[in-house]
């Protein structure tokens, strides 16, 4: 009986720590974007921002950013973000948001597959979707992209510069 109680306490402590780690990760995600992970047109990483594209504690071991967004968008180009799902039935849907000029979330991509199949999911996003005005000039500048599962759990985030 004593061992069962100790085991239960360890599980509860571990769960609380994971929840607080997830909350800390999400607080960090809502800081202002500072830098970007710079890529070439082929996806080669030129410069890394250590804050970009980290995986949230709830999804570590189940999801990876296989390829950060590339190329850095410019007029007439779109970017590709490659997410690798390694866990079976570990992600139920994907939603990608940015924030408008008032800080409100703006949905720019959704995938309703539940569960998402294991493997690489290519996410193609047009820079104009980042614009509050609906035109390319409105998208210029640095944007933070937030990736969630379909239940509202943050998976990752990163910054993107539209030039």
């Amino acid at each position: 009986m004593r061992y069962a109680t100790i085991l239960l306490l360890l599980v509860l402590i571990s769960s609380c720590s994971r929840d607080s780690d997830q909350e800390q990760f999400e607080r960090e995600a809502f800081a202002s974007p500072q830098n970007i992970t710079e890529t070439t047109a082929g996806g080669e990483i030129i410069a890394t921002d250590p804050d970009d594209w980290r995986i949230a504690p709830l999804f570590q071991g189940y999801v990876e950013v296989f390829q950060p967004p590339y190329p850095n968008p410019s007029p007439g180009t779109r970017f590709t973000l490659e997410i690798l799902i390694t866990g079976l039935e570990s992600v139920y849907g994907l939603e990608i948001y940015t924030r408008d000029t008032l800080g409100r979330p703006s949905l720019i991509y959704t995938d309703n597959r539940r569960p998402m199949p294991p493997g690489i999911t290519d996410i193609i996003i047009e820079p104009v979707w980042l614009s509050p005005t609906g035109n390319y000039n409105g998208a210029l500048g640095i944007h933070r992209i937030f990736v969630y599962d379909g239940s509202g759990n943050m998976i990752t985030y990163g910054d993107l510069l539209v030039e």
Side-chain angles (χ1 to χ4, degrees), residues 81-85 94 109 111 113 116-117 119-123:
L81 169 64
E82 296 177 0
I83 304 252
L84 175 61
I85 298 172
L94 284 175
Y109 175 90
D111 186 328
R113 293 180 286 174
M116 297 292 295
I120 295 175
T121 298
D122 288 336
I123 301 164

Side-chain angles (χ1 to χ4, degrees), residues 70-160:
Y70 69 94
N72 291 81
S74 58
T77 64
R78 55 190 181 180
F79 69 89
T80 302
L81 169 64
E82 296 177 0
I83 304 252
L84 175 61
I85 298 172
T86 58
L88 292 173
E89 298 189 16
S90 57
V91 178
Y92 288 81
L94 284 175
E95 296 177 347
I96 300 180
Y97 292 85
T98 189
R99 292 185 290 187
D100 67 15
T101 53
L102 299 175
R104 297 176 298 211
S106 176
L107 180 66
I108 59 173
Y109 175 90
T110 188
D111 186 328
N112 292 317
R113 293 180 286 174
R114 295 175 184 260
M116 297 292 295
I120 295 175
T121 298
D122 288 336
I123 301 164
I124 309 294
I125 298 177
E126 300 285 345
V128 73
W129 297 349
L130 304 172
S131 169
T133 61
N135 63 42
Y136 188 85
N137 285 338
L140 296 175
I142 194 165
H143 300 270
R144 179 147 291 174
I145 307 296
F146 305 91
V147 180
Y148 290 86
D149 72 359
S151 300
N153 298 303
M154 187 179 292
I155 298 172
T156 189
Y157 65 91
D159 303 327
L160 180 69

